[in-house]
Amino acid sequence: MGLSLGACLAVQPAQGASPAVSAAETSVNLSVGLMSTQYHEHAVPGDDESGVIPGFGVGVSALVPTRPGVTSSVDIYSALIYNFDAGNIGYSGHYLVSGAPASATDHAVFNRVEARLGLGFPMIGGMESIPFLAGGYQAWNRNIAAPGGGSTDEFYHSGLFGLGYKLDVPVGGGLVASGTGELLGLAGGGISDNSANWSGSFGVTPEERVELGLDDAVFGRFHLFVSAYWQHFNYAGTMPQSLGNDYYMFEPFSTTTQFGANFGIGYSFN
């Protein structure tokens, strides 16, 4: 998803962003959805988790022309997006001390907030090419309840920063199709384990995200939309820390893949 693509396409004779694109990108919205999570620790023995949980999202975005009334002007794009997902995920791993296999339930809670700022370049046919900068925060409250009273209460968190590219395509009437790709970095993150009373810091690792969407102006300023996404990221893990009595605690390198779908309603203030 290169920034050069948006710049290259934008030099074509521009007709300006279509009213449908402007309405879709200048709105507030609320959505509900489902998210599938696949988690794997790269350690022996390691832990795995998987499951599908519900969630909701809220967002606000704006696409504002720098020269109102000039159809070929560059637009300013901004967005703020928040997603919350919570539910039970299956855990397949091991007990910390004995190393014996363990199956349990993670009462997981995921939070993710992302801010975007970029430029919109009008294209032929009313399309909009939008390269943007992104920053934000994501967290996972990992609360595993194991049979026999064993449990863990871990909190994973990280900042987000990177680049993205979005393409909006009006496909007729008030319907707009969109595709978004992002390459982000996880930085300043770490883990806090309240059950074992220790914490550690993570190094910088990548996150990739792809999203496809449809937005339809069904009644005046009110819109219905649906989106599907895939994202993949790694947590770098921590260095071993001594807890005394020759016992060490550390978080191994891990990989998480998530994909899901959201359905929602928006209100355009364009």
Side-chain angles (χ1 to χ4, degrees):
M1 303 294 177
L3 297 182
S4 61
L5 175 61
C8 179
L9 291 174
V11 299
Q12 303 294 328
Q15 302 299 315
S18 73
V21 169
S22 296
E25 290 292 5
T26 307
S27 66
V28 294
N29 62 74
L30 175 66
S31 64
V32 294
L34 294 172
M35 181 178 74
S36 171
T37 293
Q38 306 288 331
Y39 168 83
H40 175 69
E41 288 183 354
H42 298 269
V44 180
D47 294 346
D48 292 276
E49 294 193 26
S50 62
V52 178
I53 56 178
F56 71 89
V58 294
V60 58
S61 63
L63 189 66
V64 180
T66 56
R67 299 168 61 194
V70 180
T71 59
S72 59
S73 69
V74 175
D75 301 316
I76 301 296
Y77 167 76
S78 60
L80 182 63
I81 305 161
Y82 170 70
N83 290 105
F84 173 89
D85 299 275
N88 294 334
I89 296 176
Y91 168 87
S92 176
H94 66 284
Y95 291 99
L96 289 177
V97 177
S98 67
S103 296
T105 300
D106 176 11
H107 305 297
V109 177
F110 294 92
N111 284 278
R112 189 178 192 277
V113 60
E114 180 183 337
R116 299 174 179 175
L117 181 62
L119 297 176
F121 297 95
M123 297 162 54
I124 290 176
M127 297 187 294
E128 193 85 3
S129 174
I130 309 174
F132 60 86
L133 300 175
Y137 172 84
Q138 68 181 37
W140 171 26
N141 188 356
R142 189 186 190 198
N143 189 353
I144 298 174
S151 64
T152 63
D153 181 11
E154 299 173 336
F155 183 69
Y156 296 68
H157 59 91
S158 181
L160 301 172
F161 69 96
L163 304 172
Y165 175 77
K166 185 173 187 180
L167 179 66
D168 288 323
V169 182
V171 293
L175 185 63
V176 175
S178 65
T180 306
E182 294 180 86
L183 180 58
L184 306 171
L186 304 183
I191 179 175
S192 299
D193 190 333
N194 296 323
S195 55
N197 194 29
W198 76 280
S199 61
S201 299
F202 294 150
V204 179
T205 50
E207 175 171 305
E208 309 88 39
R209 180 180 173 92
V210 176
E211 182 171 355
L212 300 175
L214 287 173
D215 183 289
D216 192 11
V218 293
F219 184 75
R221 293 180 178 268
F222 288 95
H223 292 230
L224 293 179
F225 68 91
V226 61
S227 64
Y229 65 90
W230 170 93
Q231 64 183 23
H232 170 273
F233 57 89
N234 298 317
Y235 285 125
T238 67
M239 298 294 292
Q241 298 182 35
S242 174
L243 299 183
N245 298 321
D246 294 325
Y247 184 72
Y248 289 83
M249 179 73 79
F250 75 100
E251 176 68 17
F253 185 92
S254 65
T255 297
T256 302
T257 302
Q258 296 174 320
F259 59 90
N262 295 301
F263 176 80
I265 185 169
Y267 179 82
S268 174
F269 52 88
N270 182 40

